[in-house]
Amino acid sequence: SKDLQIAIDGPASAGKSTVAKIIAAKLGYIYCDTGAMYRAVTYKALQDRIDLTDEQAVMQMLSDTKITFIPGEPVQKVFVNNQEITKEIRQPEVTNSVSTIAALQGVRKRLTVDQRKLAENGGIVMDGRDIGSTVLPNAQVKIFLIASVDERAERRYKENIQKGITTDLETLKQEIAVRDQKDSTRKVSPLTKADDAIEVDTTSMNIEQVVAKILEIVAKKS
Ligand code: C5P
């Protein structure tokens, strides 16, 4: 069949979105970045100065807010109450707070419903932390992308330089490690490899090699 669900999970900065986008384009599938959803909720909560650990307050904000995701190339656009926040959700302040919001059960429940709806007809590549384990347990293809912290920090460092952003490599390493730690140890749907996911260690692979490897796995299922 050609309308598969492809789940790509893994720790921060493992290259999930980069390869997921390429694979979606090659297969003519929708690409869905679920991290952007958690980032959008975090952005709005920060903007409203809500205590990020106050689940009730965050849920109240969510029910009063319209958050819209428009899948598309090259980036999925994100809006909150009709204000576009596609760029804003990548700010370091959001990145370093998102794991706190992502630990809230109510938030996860809400976003999981939206994610399942987007994926119900297949033909989708969805990346995140809990897609294979929780959101789409029946996905035909489940990939768990990993790479060493050093390698992931270096990739992010180079990416930032290309964007004209100066960052400190050691700080990046620390931020990535802290986020992984929080995401892996939370009670609800922690970052984890689903039993039936295929682990791909990209530490010594380039993007083309990772894409080829995943397409090989996809071809066996189609
Ligand atoms: O993928 P990205 O790094 O943009 O995700 C941002 C954060 O959103 C993650 O660190 C994690 O806390 C949360 N997240 C999640 N479950 C997902 C996707 C992202 O908890 N499926």
Side-chain angles (χ1 to χ4, degrees):
S1 93
K2 65 189 216 354
D3 293 324
L4 306 174
Q5 292 176 334
I6 302 176
I8 302 185
D9 291 297
S13 300
K16 299 182 298 291
S17 67
T18 305
V19 299
K21 266 182 218 169
I22 298 172
I23 288 164
K26 287 201 192 247
L27 298 173
Y29 281 14
I30 296 169
Y31 163 59
C32 175
D33 167 9
T34 63
M37 300 184 177
Y38 290 95
R39 286 171 180 272
V41 177
T42 306
Y43 175 83
K44 183 70 166 83
L46 287 170
Q47 201 180 41
D48 292 359
R49 298 180 191 283
I50 292 172
D51 171 1
L52 303 185
T53 61
D54 183 343
E55 176 150 22
Q56 229 183 332
V58 174
M59 292 313 290
Q60 184 60 49
M61 177 277 284
L62 256 187
S63 68
D64 296 339
T65 307
K66 195 177 89 184
I67 300 181
T68 316
F69 300 92
I70 305 181
E73 274 304 308
V75 281
Q76 162 181 276
K77 289 188 176 168
V78 185
F79 295 82
V80 30
N81 292 335
N82 303 321
Q83 177 205 353
E84 184 172 357
I85 54 161
T86 308
K87 284 214 185 81
E88 286 78 355
I89 61 169
R90 305 291 157 192
Q91 290 164 355
E93 198 193 357
V94 175
T95 303
N96 294 326
S97 302
V98 62
S99 295
T100 307
I101 286 286
L104 302 177
Q105 178 154 35
V107 173
R108 302 204 69 83
K109 232 172 155 178
R110 253 288 298 275
L111 296 185
T112 298
V113 169
D114 296 344
Q115 290 156 9
R116 287 185 179 146
K117 212 166 280 166
L118 278 168
E120 67 188 355
N121 297 319
I124 191 162
V125 183
M126 190 170 268
D127 86 44
R129 302 293 187 289
D130 64 337
I131 310 306
S133 61
T134 304
V135 180
L136 306 176
N138 298 321
Q140 295 88 343
V141 178
K142 296 183 186 178
I143 307 292
F144 198 72
L145 268 198
I146 59 162
S148 70
V149 173
D150 284 4
E151 172 67 20
R152 288 185 279 137
E154 256 159 58
R155 287 180 192 163
R156 192 43 50 100
Y157 181 75
K158 286 183 193 151
E159 205 179 286
N160 285 348
I161 286 178
Q162 279 178 346
K163 287 185 191 161
I165 309 168
T166 334
T167 36
D168 175 58
L169 186 59
E170 280 311 311
T171 308
L172 279 179
K173 269 185 210 173
Q174 272 177 29
E175 285 173 353
I176 288 173
V178 167
R179 197 141 65 94
D180 286 352
Q181 164 72 11
K182 285 188 187 160
D183 289 342
S184 316
T185 55
R186 69 175 173 235
K187 289 205 187 74
V188 203
S189 305
L191 164 67
T192 182
K193 176 185 163 299
D195 290 336
D196 52 350
I198 298 174
E199 184 170 287
V200 178
D201 185 343
T202 74
T203 304
S204 55
M205 291 167 89
N206 63 30
I207 293 165
E208 291 72 35
Q209 290 169 323
V210 179
V211 168
K213 172 88 192 160
I214 295 175
L215 285 175
E216 204 179 285
I217 295 165
V218 172
K220 286 186 195 149
K221 303 281 178 171
S222 359

